């Protein structure tokens, strides 16, 4: 497009990073995300990317082995998402943050994020993948904390959520592995 400082250029860079991630080239995706963040540091007055650019890069970081950075980015962006919406994005970011906290063995904080997710359900039902991810995270927390009283109901809820149609393969696979 002729300029690295245009929003269109940043959007294309974000898409490139996500495509690399989907292809399983996670370390390359993270490098593209870093370049995107460097560009925003040079072009934004605040030095940080707009919230909409954070959630994919944060997820790439969490999956790529740097859950602490990913969770930090999500935690910073979540209030902006909660203020501006859309609701599906707010819920997705909340679940991603909970998943990042589970990876770091920060179960109390992850449980808090799940409660925050559940509180948002007054705005409408969750998407099927959100229900699977929320219940999967609940199973992971109960399992790692040795909370047998919660593990049974959480596993049952996960199995029920997995019966939904239109689940992406990665979400379904993670759910089945947790179950």
């Amino acid at each position: 497009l002729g300029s690295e400082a245009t929003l269109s250029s940043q959007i294309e860079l974000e898409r490139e990073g996500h495509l690399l991630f989907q292809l399983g080239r996670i370390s390359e995706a993270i490098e593209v995300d870093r370049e995107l963040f460097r560009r925003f540091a040079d072009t934004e007055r605040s030095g940080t990317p707009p919230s909409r650019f954070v959630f994919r890069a944060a997820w790439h970081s969490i999956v790529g082995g740097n859950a602490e950075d990913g969770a930090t980015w999500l935690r910073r962006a979540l209030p902006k998402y909660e203020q501006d919406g859309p609701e599906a994005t707010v819920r997705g970011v909340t679940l991603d943050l909970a998943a990042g906290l589970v990876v770091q063995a920060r179960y109390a904080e992850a449980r808090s994020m799940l409660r925050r997710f559940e509180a948002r359900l007054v705005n409408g039902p969750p998407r099927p993948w959100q229900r699977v991810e929320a219940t999967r995270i609940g199973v992971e927390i109960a399992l790692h904390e040795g909370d047998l009283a919660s593990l049974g109901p959480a596993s049952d809820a996960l199995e029920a959520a997995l019966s939904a149609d239109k689940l992406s393969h990665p979400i379904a696979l993670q759910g089945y592995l947790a179950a």
Side-chain angles (χ1 to χ4, degrees), residues 2-20:
S3 173
E4 292 181 354
T6 64
L7 184 59
S8 295
S9 176
Q10 313 309 31
I11 291 170
E12 290 305 316
L13 199 57
E14 178 199 29
R15 289 177 180 163
E16 178 185 348
H18 191 58
L19 178 61
L20 288 167

Side-chain angles (χ1 to χ4, degrees), residues 33-89:
D33 295 336
R34 286 185 182 134
E35 174 60 24
L36 176 67
F37 282 14
R38 275 191 294 273
R39 287 186 188 179
F40 275 117
D42 292 341
T43 60
E44 291 291 314
R45 279 184 268 202
S46 68
T48 58
S51 297
R52 85 167 280 302
F53 288 92
V54 173
F55 74 92
R56 280 186 177 167
W59 186 245
H60 300 166
S61 186
I62 290 168
V63 171
N66 196 346
E68 188 173 340
D69 278 354
T72 298
W73 295 337
L74 290 171
R75 190 175 279 114
R76 286 183 192 150
L78 186 56
K80 180 76 170 151
Y81 284 122
E82 288 175 328
Q83 178 183 337
D84 297 341
E87 185 63 29
T89 301

